[in-house]
Amino acid sequence: MVISAIIFFIMIYFYSDSGTNEPLKDYNNATPPKIDQFINDEIMDDTNRPKEGLSVYIGKSVKDFIEDYGEPQRKDPSAYGYEWWIYKNFTGTYMQAGVNKGSVVTIYALGNQLNVAPYLIGETIEDIYRTTLLETEIMVSEDKSTYRFELSEEDLNIRPLVQLGDIFAQLSIDKYTGTLSSIRFFDKKTLITQRPYEVAYRGDLIMPSEIDEADWREIEKGNEFQIFDITNVIRSRFGIDELKWDEQVGQVAFGHSKDMYENDYFSHDSPTFGTLDERLEAGNIEFQSAGENIASEYIDGPAAVEGWLNSEGHRRALLDGNFSRLGVGVYQKFYTQNFIQTTE
């Protein structure tokens, strides 16, 4: 069985009151996961799981996590059945722990003050290659079913998947600096449910639960705050001033994400509400210059930010020191960032 895929898209738009209104388009995009059935009983079961660092908490009780890291600053729902616990209580470091039924099932981390053994945030890709054999296919067995994750050349270069015993690590590489930007640890079920790579399977395909409209809005809000937080951590990494949250700008961004979803298009120019500057002006927002990043079909907000970071135009907006405020709007899996430089 083959399920057709939707293309991941990310685009950038810049507007300045003294310049052109033409968008700067970036055609960087990733082919989304494809799903096939297969018959193959070979399973690789490496038992070399790290004995220290954040990965040791995968599968453990959340009580152990609280004992070492305390209560989170925020809790956000996710689209995959677990709750994100957000830790951002010291500068330059940020972590999300996914908690499901009292256990930690996934962790997303960036910032050099966190122990992500056997790796280091900021570690060069050359050092990673020296210690890690990257595979184009990784086999996983769960509940009498078998899954083969198939990594493209692009996956190997910017987001390889590594098996660490009975858990998995996704390494997000900043291709412009050649260093490890962030890392995710997964248990088997979470990896299979999210399917961040093409997968062939034998048996049953684990699917996320259906989500109603009210629950989607809470998930979307969580993604908005996560994108904002991660953007500022990345800016801090490069010595750039943090952005301030702008609720009014966020409403404009949310309206654009919802408009793209409801009217089945992907562009900075809305058939109904116009260009970025027109939408900001309609929202009574005063600005000297503005920029916009959009993305669709990424598994969540952190994944969208890592996608923007590895695309030249989007990276330019993320790291632009002239911008002072940011509004983020997420509608299901459509993501919009609106940056502005104020007139003050």
Side-chain angles (χ1 to χ4, degrees):
M1 176 181 67
V2 178
I3 298 178
S4 61
I6 304 171
I7 296 177
F8 289 132
F9 285 107
I10 48 180
M11 295 181 69
I12 174 73
Y13 177 97
F14 273 108
Y15 168 77
S16 171
D17 59 2
S18 60
T20 176
N21 289 353
E22 287 299 313
L24 297 175
K25 294 184 179 179
D26 189 328
Y27 295 97
N28 181 321
N29 60 73
T31 302
K34 181 180 71 175
I35 305 168
D36 292 307
Q37 286 187 323
F38 80 107
I39 299 176
N40 189 331
D41 290 326
E42 279 188 37
I43 296 294
M44 195 168 63
D45 188 17
D46 185 2
T47 58
N48 188 25
R49 181 168 174 174
K51 295 180 174 58
E52 64 171 313
L54 288 173
S55 69
V56 304
Y57 295 96
I58 300 298
K60 284 191 175 182
S61 168
V62 72
K63 293 180 181 179
D64 296 327
F65 200 80
I66 293 173
E67 185 175 332
D68 290 338
Y69 290 95
E71 293 287 346
Q73 281 68 58
R74 191 176 74 242
K75 295 181 181 180
D76 299 334
S78 80
Y80 302 99
Y82 54 81
E83 183 177 59
W84 278 124
W85 288 25
I86 311 299
Y87 291 81
K88 55 170 189 170
N89 56 340
F90 41 104
T91 303
T93 295
Y94 177 88
M95 173 172 60
Q96 299 183 192
V99 177
N100 188 23
K101 297 179 180 178
S103 296
V104 179
V105 297
T106 183
I107 293 174
Y108 170 81
L110 70 163
N112 57 15
Q113 298 182 55
L114 293 171
N115 185 343
V116 294
Y119 303 102
L120 295 168
I121 301 297
E123 183 176 6
T124 67
I125 194 168
E126 290 83 7
D127 286 341
I128 291 171
Y129 286 161
R130 274 194 285 270
T131 60
T132 304
L133 177 63
L134 300 181
E135 303 282 355
T136 58
E137 293 185 355
I138 292 182
M139 306 286 287
V140 184
S141 179
E142 176 74 3
D143 292 336
K144 299 181 181 180
S145 296
T146 302
Y147 308 86
R148 184 179 69 232
F149 288 95
E150 302 169 351
L151 279 66
S152 66
E153 182 178 353
E154 181 185 34
D155 292 332
L156 290 174
N157 288 332
I158 63 173
R159 53 185 199 128
L161 182 68
V162 180
Q163 184 170 5
L164 302 172
D166 59 346
I167 66 170
F168 300 85
Q170 183 186 58
L171 312 180
S172 292
I173 306 296
D174 181 338
K175 71 180 184 181
Y176 292 95
T177 63
T179 59
L180 181 62
S181 173
S182 67
I183 190 167
R184 286 192 196 228
F185 298 108
F186 307 88
D187 67 7
K188 292 180 180 180
K189 186 173 181 181
T190 303
L191 174 64
I192 295 164
T193 303
Q194 291 188 346
R195 296 193 302 276
Y197 307 92
E198 290 189 4
V199 63
Y201 71 99
R202 175 177 177 268
D204 296 324
L205 188 64
I206 300 175
M207 301 292 290
S209 300
E210 293 290 327
I211 302 169
D212 63 28
E213 186 175 350
D215 288 340
W216 259 123
R217 189 63 198 119
E218 292 305 309
I219 293 167
E220 292 157 359
K221 288 179 181 177
N223 275 307
E224 290 167 359
F225 288 129
Q226 292 159 31
I227 288 172
F228 175 79
D229 290 336
I230 294 168
T231 297
N232 274 332
V233 172
I234 291 172
R235 286 171 69 92
S236 176
R237 177 188 298 169
F238 290 93
I240 302 168
D241 289 343
E242 292 187 358
L243 299 162
K244 294 181 179 179
W245 176 266
D246 192 306
E247 184 65 30
Q248 194 175 0
V249 175
Q251 291 174 5
V252 173
F254 176 77
H256 190 57
S257 289
K258 185 176 181 182
D259 185 43
M260 287 191 290
Y261 173 87
E262 291 182 340
N263 292 291
D264 193 24
Y265 74 95
F266 185 78
S267 172
H268 295 285
D269 295 339
S270 166
T272 306
F273 302 105
T275 62
L276 170 61
D277 53 302
E278 290 171 336
R279 287 182 272 118
L280 290 171
E281 289 168 0
N284 296 316
I285 296 167
E286 295 183 358
F287 61 98
Q288 183 174 342
S289 64
E292 179 172 82
N293 285 345
I294 59 176
S296 70
E297 299 307 321
Y298 282 87
I299 62 171
D300 57 19
V305 177
E306 294 293 347
W308 286 325
L309 187 64
N310 269 327
S311 177
E312 184 177 0
H314 312 96
R315 184 186 185 91
R316 193 187 319 156
L318 283 169
L319 303 180
D320 191 323
N322 293 316
F323 292 140
S324 57
R325 307 184 78 86
L326 173 63
V328 183
V330 177
Y331 191 82
Q332 297 206 12
K333 291 188 178 180
F334 282 78
Y335 309 88
T336 300
Q337 286 184 307
N338 285 162
F339 304 84
I340 66 167
Q341 179 183 7
T342 61
T343 56
E344 298 174 357

